Amino acid sequence: MNLLPHSNGLYKMKKEKVGLVVIAKRIVIAILSLLLIGLVIQQCINLIDNTRLKSKFKYVRVDGKRMEYKLKGSGEYTVIFDGGIGNTMFEWDKVCDELEEKEDVQTFVYNRRGYGFNDGGSVRTPKEQAEDLKNLLKKSGASAPYILVGEEYGSLVMTNFAAEYPDSVAAVVLIDPISEEEAASDEFKKSIRFKYYRSKIESIGSNFLLTSILDKVGLTLENTYFEENISENKLEEFSALKNKKNYRQAVSNELENLYNINSNSQSDGLFSNKPLYIISQDKENILKKMGNEKFTTVYKHQDTQTPFSMVDPEAVVNGISSVLKDAKKIQKMSNE
């Protein structure tokens, strides 16, 4: 109640009613204000990180997009590595170190579009990513014959590469590979649906700080084992880049490729005249049908942590050494 002027009595003032439309407008304005603030802060963080962080790797431009790589060693064969969704080229550090000590080969590791300091962009199918890799190899001077090593999602890129450029491929190692046939099933689609939708939110949220906030409270998609097993300085770089638009967009794009299975490369007999080594939890892995019995090996493992290449790099190196030995035998027979 308020005491009215020129009055000896009290009068109850009526509160102004606020309609639903007004409330809705206020909520929208508040949300837009938060998004705008988040956008500005995100841009400031990006600017600071771009000044503070610099890539340590060489790069070339493929279709106008930056792609970084590392080519090391010497030898007749070049071993090309491609890893799982969300993992950068750091996944292969231990494997490359052991392989370079054991075999006389070149090693080639790279980041797919959106990873590391690479430019991002729209969805690239595994076939298009294989084409990017081919152009990258050409521009970097990494010579054939190639031994392809692909883990999880990287296996799709490698089977597409082998299907498109068979004459440049000498042998293949696939680690916990994704089967296109199994990925086309409703069961597989259902198993990654939530992960795929989360990645879309994180991709959008990376524009205005939302993904960084979700990451701070542990609500983003994470590659825990990968992050726990790279060196401190590499983790610092990865942590600074993983909530940026290019990275989250790349993860979402590749999950979309799996969700819609935008790949068709794994035909029977694809590696009929090439050594094929599969590292899998399933001894009867369906993808062994791509090779012939004489030059196909399936190595069964029981590790649940991923990526396996970081869990047991020695097993991966042994697989590469095995196909390398067989590739040399095949080459020798063809020259006789």
Side-chain angles (χ1 to χ4, degrees), residues 127-135 137 144 146 148 157-170 270 274:
K127 180 179 178 180
E128 290 170 331
Q129 290 174 312
E131 292 168 355
D132 289 343
L133 175 57
K134 178 63 173 177
N135 288 328
L137 290 167
Y146 302 127
L148 308 181
V157 180
M158 292 311 193
T159 54
N160 275 275
F161 187 100
E164 291 296 307
Y165 315 106
D167 294 340
S168 65
V169 178
L270 177 62
K274 296 178 176 67

Side-chain angles (χ1 to χ4, degrees), residues 32 102 263:
L32 291 176
K102 186 175 182 180
S263 185

Side-chain angles (χ1 to χ4, degrees), residues 271-274 276 288-298 326:
F271 305 121
S272 59
N273 61 342
K274 296 178 176 67
L276 172 63
K288 70 179 185 178
K289 66 184 180 180
M290 293 189 296
N292 65 46
E293 188 174 345
K294 185 177 180 180
F295 292 112
T296 299
T297 302
V298 179
D326 287 342

Side-chain angles (χ1 to χ4, degrees), residues 116-139:
F117 290 87
N118 286 352
D119 296 327
S122 57
V123 176
R124 300 284 286 172
T125 66
K127 180 179 178 180
E128 290 170 331
Q129 290 174 312
E131 292 168 355
D132 289 343
L133 175 57
K134 178 63 173 177
N135 288 328
L136 176 60
L137 290 167
K138 182 179 179 180
K139 290 190 174 186

Side-chain angles (χ1 to χ4, degrees), residues 28-207:
V28 170
I29 291 171
I31 292 173
L32 291 176
S33 298
L34 289 174
L35 292 179
L36 181 59
I37 293 170
L39 178 64
V40 172
I41 295 174
Q42 185 71 66
Q43 293 302 314
C44 291
I45 292 173
N46 292 346
L47 182 61
I48 293 170
D49 285 341
N50 289 340
T51 304
R52 181 173 62 90
L53 299 170
K54 299 295 181 184
S55 174
K56 301 177 181 64
F57 303 108
K58 294 180 179 179
Y59 73 92
V60 297
R61 295 200 175 274
V62 176
D63 291 335
K65 300 288 186 178
R66 175 187 176 123
M67 293 191 73
E68 55 185 1
Y69 68 92
K70 180 173 70 172
L71 178 62
K72 190 176 179 182
S74 61
E76 182 182 358
Y77 294 87
T78 303
V79 185
I80 304 167
F81 297 91
D82 208 340
I85 292 178
N87 299 337
T88 68
M89 65 169 76
F90 299 147
E91 173 183 343
W92 303 104
D93 286 352
K94 293 180 181 178
V95 172
C96 288
D97 288 344
E98 290 191 26
L99 182 63
E100 288 157 8
E101 289 181 6
K102 186 175 182 180
E103 302 288 353
D104 183 23
V105 293
Q106 287 192 106
T107 58
F108 183 93
V109 292
Y110 79 109
N111 281 327
R112 295 191 297 269
R113 189 175 292 188
Y115 292 140
F117 290 87
N118 286 352
D119 296 327
S122 57
V123 176
R124 300 284 286 172
T125 66
K127 180 179 178 180
E128 290 170 331
Q129 290 174 312
E131 292 168 355
D132 289 343
L133 175 57
K134 178 63 173 177
N135 288 328
L136 176 60
L137 290 167
K138 182 179 179 180
K139 290 190 174 186
S140 67
S143 58
Y146 302 127
I147 294 176
L148 308 181
V149 182
E151 181 160 12
E152 298 171 349
Y153 182 90
S155 66
L156 292 178
V157 180
M158 292 311 193
T159 54
N160 275 275
F161 187 100
E164 291 296 307
Y165 315 106
D167 294 340
S168 65
V169 178
V172 180
V173 177
L174 301 178
I175 308 163
D176 291 329
I178 293 171
S179 162
E180 293 169 346
E181 181 179 335
E182 292 177 351
S185 68
D186 291 338
E187 183 180 359
F188 181 87
K189 192 169 186 175
K190 184 178 179 180
S191 70
I192 67 167
R193 181 175 294 150
F194 180 64
K195 198 173 186 179
Y196 167 57
Y197 289 151
R198 277 181 62 183
S199 75
K200 285 296 183 186
I201 294 172
E202 290 167 11
S203 178
I204 296 170
S206 63
N207 291 289

